[in-house]
Amino acid sequence: MSTDNVTHPHAAHVSHHFNDATQEYDSGKQGIWLFMVTEILMFGALLIGYGIFHHLYPAMFSEGAKQLDWKLGFVNTLVLIFSSFTMAISIQLIQRNQIKKAAMALAITILCGAVFMVIKYFEWTHKFHLGFYPGRFLDLAKTGAEHANLGMYFGFYFCMSGLHGLHVLIGMGLITWLLIRTIRGEFHSQYWIPVEGVGIFWHIVDLIWIFLFPLLYLVG
Amino acid sequence: MGSHSSSAHGENYINCEKGLWSWLTTIDHKRIGIMYMIAVMFFFFVGGVMALLLRLELFAPNATAGVGQVLKNGDAYNQVLTYHGAIMVFMVIVPGIPAILGNFFLPIHLGAKDMAFPKINLLSWYVFMAGALLAVATFFLSKIDTGWTFYTPYSIRTGTSVVVMVVAAFIMGMSSILTGLNMIVTVHKLRAPGMTMHRMPLFVWAMYSTAILQLLATPVLGITLMLLAAEKIFGVGIFDPALGGDPVLFQHFFWFYSHPAVYIMILPAMGVISEIITAFSRKVIFGYTAIAYSSLGIAAVSFFVWGHHMFVSGQSELAGIMFSFITMLVGVPTAIKMFNWVATIYKGSVSFDSPMLFALGFLFLFAIGGVTGIMLATLPIDVHFHDTYFVVAHFHYVMVGGTLMALMGGFYYWFPKMFGKNFNEALARLSFVFIFIGFNVTFFPQFILGAMGMPRRYFDYIPNYEQLNKVSTVGSWLILIGFLIGLYAIVQGIRKGSKAVANPWGAKTLEWQTASPPPQFNFDVEPVVTAGPYEYR
């Protein structure tokens, strides 16, 4: 178990079952990457489902995509890419022991996540306002939908962007946890495994959005 | 042999900390293995009682008063059938060997102090329990009757607790992913000095292959079940043909996980069997690398065979032929294993202790299960046997005759190490005799019933099938007696067994080089490995 022995930063963070910090670092990194494989596979199955039905009902999917505001989606894409940048910067800064700047970078990352979610919130509520609900709740009369099963498109839209949004929220929570630990001075040039792990998670969440954005907003 | 300094004082992982709380908060992989054992044994009991109920209902046609009407109607039968299947698959056979024996022995086999992520290991137990309890809770909300496969469109139309059940299965899948991830990293990063990949025990190779499957297959099931939940709540239309969706897509997604899951169930069993057979034949295992890599081979091929569950679903004939061929391909690495085990026994000094009896039982039953698997892989034969009792008999031979025999064998094999006590060998052998005979009496007639055309999942049948169904039901009672004897042997061994020595079987792998039961961090001195795992002669 880790003890807070300040005089030996190396020994302080090596858990009981590891021989040294390198082994712990390598294990943590492999673990987070393997977990990312499962995330990609989970979204991958969604993308395959999307692809199949897009192929079956191209006109309906095109009608659905036209209802989305690509400008908002594009802004969100930029926001997320920028947040990936600040996340990466924070690791660099911790490795150089510039803790205050690192905390700032993490705070900006959380802020970007929040901006993303706020824009998402307005997009979703606007859709609800117009009657674009998923599946059977889609208001055919109010929306004036041409295709009777347009609800399927919005089913995919809300499932995919909802699951992704959930990941953004989880990521924001994790980065907040990192921020608190950073301010407490728990990370430094000898120890930053959790920061890098959460960072990888955040990059993958961004990457998934980079696939979702063109699929949902631009294709068709 | 490590010096037993701490074990000399009688300190081990069981008594190093006291109280229920120390167990519930433990991050020791051995204690977590024991906690899984208690949970899985409980669920096995529940699932087993439901199996007995099903067999009792099928003892006679419904026209017969009394026994033929144990379950009042087809709905009740479907519900019990569903819970039997779901409990046995998701809560017993899938987690069984990896979570109990894998958790306990994988780090010791590698000479590691613990799993790579001990806290995640504990978390996975809690996640598993949360999912399992949620699944059981649906029994008291509104019982689901879809079968454990949740096929659409029926699952969309039936009672609402399907949503709760699939969420429960999703949660248990998370636990499975966490365990698998933990094991892969442990194998890659925590091996003791000198423990190369090719010096790992075959049990570890099997667990490693299983973990890869858990990691790659489970997320797809997860999203499939989430889509099913979305379908039920929002009527999205992805799986509902009335809304333009495709119910067969659900089957594709479902079996893309659930067929590899069949190998998640059987690969660990093969690992256990490899350990037992070499130890009780007193011989270096024949074809170590072939057995190790055939596990990976089975894992790889398993991803391309899901379509054999769908030969009659209306997929294209070409797809059917391809899946038929690839399915037979799985037989190759499986046969490699079988022949290597037999070659290991050949001219060995075989001792027929209870673990070896279970291992030999495995070889016998798994051979029948495997050969009938090839029959069912054959497209035209499957069209004939589809959804008959032939299929039921086949997968029970593979899963019960395979996995459960290996679990029992492995359990007796490692019992002295896990608890530091000896069990009553005579009782263990008696338990084997009842389970083995009872199993064949129960399930062999079902091959014949299936060939005669008795469909599965039905709660009544025409009188022609009565005799064989009676035999089958009587067999289920023999299995019950066998497991009760086995349970008694285990409980009595834990409570009153004599003290076990460090290496009662004279086996060579690392776990036998430390005290029984092992100290808190497995070894008093980190072992240095200088040779392969099976240096018998």
Side-chain angles (χ1 to χ4, degrees), chain B residues 167-302:
Chain B
V167 169
F170 180 88
I171 294 172
M172 285 187 277
M174 290 261 303
S175 161
S176 183
I177 287 176
L178 292 177
T179 307
L181 187 152
N182 220 337
M183 284 180 177
I184 293 178
V185 178
T186 308
V187 166
H188 279 291
K189 300 294 177 192
L190 261 64
R191 301 193 305 273
M195 176 62 81
T196 61
M197 288 293 269
H198 285 143
R199 282 180 184 166
M200 296 194 309
L202 289 167
F203 178 69
V204 178
W205 271 102
M207 295 307 314
Y208 179 66
S209 312
T210 309
I212 293 173
L213 282 183
Q214 284 176 315
L215 209 67
L216 296 185
T218 319
V220 179
L221 177 76
I223 197 66
T224 309
L225 295 179
M226 285 303 98
L227 285 177
L228 178 60
E231 186 76 62
K232 269 196 84 75
I233 299 169
F234 301 118
V236 173
I238 296 170
F239 299 132
D240 191 345
L243 299 168
D246 184 359
V248 179
L249 181 69
F250 178 84
Q251 297 185 26
H252 279 292
F253 275 169
F254 182 83
W255 287 114
F256 183 81
Y257 161 78
S258 294
H259 194 79
V262 173
Y263 299 99
I264 294 177
M265 302 174 207
I266 197 66
L267 276 173
M270 291 169 158
V272 173
I273 296 304
S274 300
E275 296 299 317
I276 295 176
I277 285 191
T278 179
F280 288 86
S281 303
R282 288 282 169 280
K283 230 177 107 195
V284 184
I285 197 146
F286 189 92
Y288 169 90
T289 36
I291 297 184
Y293 284 100
S294 63
S295 288
L296 289 175
I298 291 173
V301 179
S302 73

Side-chain angles (χ1 to χ4, degrees), chain B residues 227-442:
Chain B
L227 285 177
L228 178 60
E231 186 76 62
K232 269 196 84 75
I233 299 169
F234 301 118
V236 173
I238 296 170
F239 299 132
D240 191 345
L243 299 168
D246 184 359
V248 179
L249 181 69
F250 178 84
Q251 297 185 26
H252 279 292
F253 275 169
F254 182 83
W255 287 114
F256 183 81
Y257 161 78
S258 294
H259 194 79
V262 173
Y263 299 99
I264 294 177
M265 302 174 207
I266 197 66
L267 276 173
M270 291 169 158
V272 173
I273 296 304
S274 300
E275 296 299 317
I276 295 176
I277 285 191
T278 179
F280 288 86
S281 303
R282 288 282 169 280
K283 230 177 107 195
V284 184
I285 197 146
F286 189 92
Y288 169 90
T289 36
I291 297 184
Y293 284 100
S294 63
S295 288
L296 289 175
I298 291 173
V301 179
S302 73
F303 277 104
F304 304 99
V305 301
W306 77 89
H308 68 231
H309 293 269
M310 301 161 62
F311 282 155
V312 300
S313 71
Q315 69 181 4
S316 78
E317 272 178 37
L318 180 66
I321 293 165
M322 301 283 276
F323 280 124
S324 177
F325 175 73
I326 305 169
T327 303
M328 289 183 200
L329 220 56
V330 185
V332 176
T334 313
I336 288 174
K337 283 179 191 292
M338 289 295 276
F339 290 127
N340 279 320
W341 290 325
V342 174
T344 306
I345 298 170
Y346 179 66
K347 287 194 177 171
S349 321
V350 180
S351 50
F352 293 96
D353 296 298
S354 48
M356 187 61 169
L357 289 180
F358 278 100
L360 293 174
F362 171 95
L363 290 188
F364 184 86
L365 300 176
F366 190 74
I368 296 177
V371 167
T372 51
I374 294 292
M375 290 170 74
L376 289 172
T378 312
L379 182 55
I381 298 184
D382 182 76
V383 170
H384 183 69
F385 284 151
H386 195 86
D387 273 349
T388 66
Y389 262 77
F390 194 92
V391 178
V392 177
H394 156 70
F395 71 71
H396 278 89
Y397 262 88
V398 174
M399 289 182 193
V400 187
T403 307
L404 227 50
M405 291 301 255
L407 181 57
M408 291 296 285
F411 202 55
Y412 284 121
Y413 176 53
W414 280 306
F415 185 93
K417 181 56 63 184
M418 293 169 86
F419 300 105
K421 301 277 184 70
N422 292 309
F423 57 88
N424 185 326
E425 175 67 19
L427 282 177
R429 290 184 194 186
L430 192 65
S431 154
F432 167 77
V433 170
F434 270 98
I435 295 174
F436 183 77
I437 295 177
F439 181 83
N440 283 296
V441 172
T442 307

Side-chain angles (χ1 to χ4, degrees), chain A residues 163-174:
Chain A
L163 192 63
H164 178 264
L166 186 67
H167 278 82
V168 173
L169 285 178
I170 293 169
M172 286 167 67
L174 290 171

Side-chain angles (χ1 to χ4, degrees), chain A residues 17 23 27 30 53 57 136 152, chain B residues 115-116 189 232 234 237 244:
Chain A
H17 57 296
Q23 191 187 25
S27 303
Q30 188 170 61
F53 287 107
Y57 308 110
R136 82 167 92 94
M152 185 197 279
Chain B
M115 287 283 200
K189 300 294 177 192
K232 269 196 84 75
F234 301 118

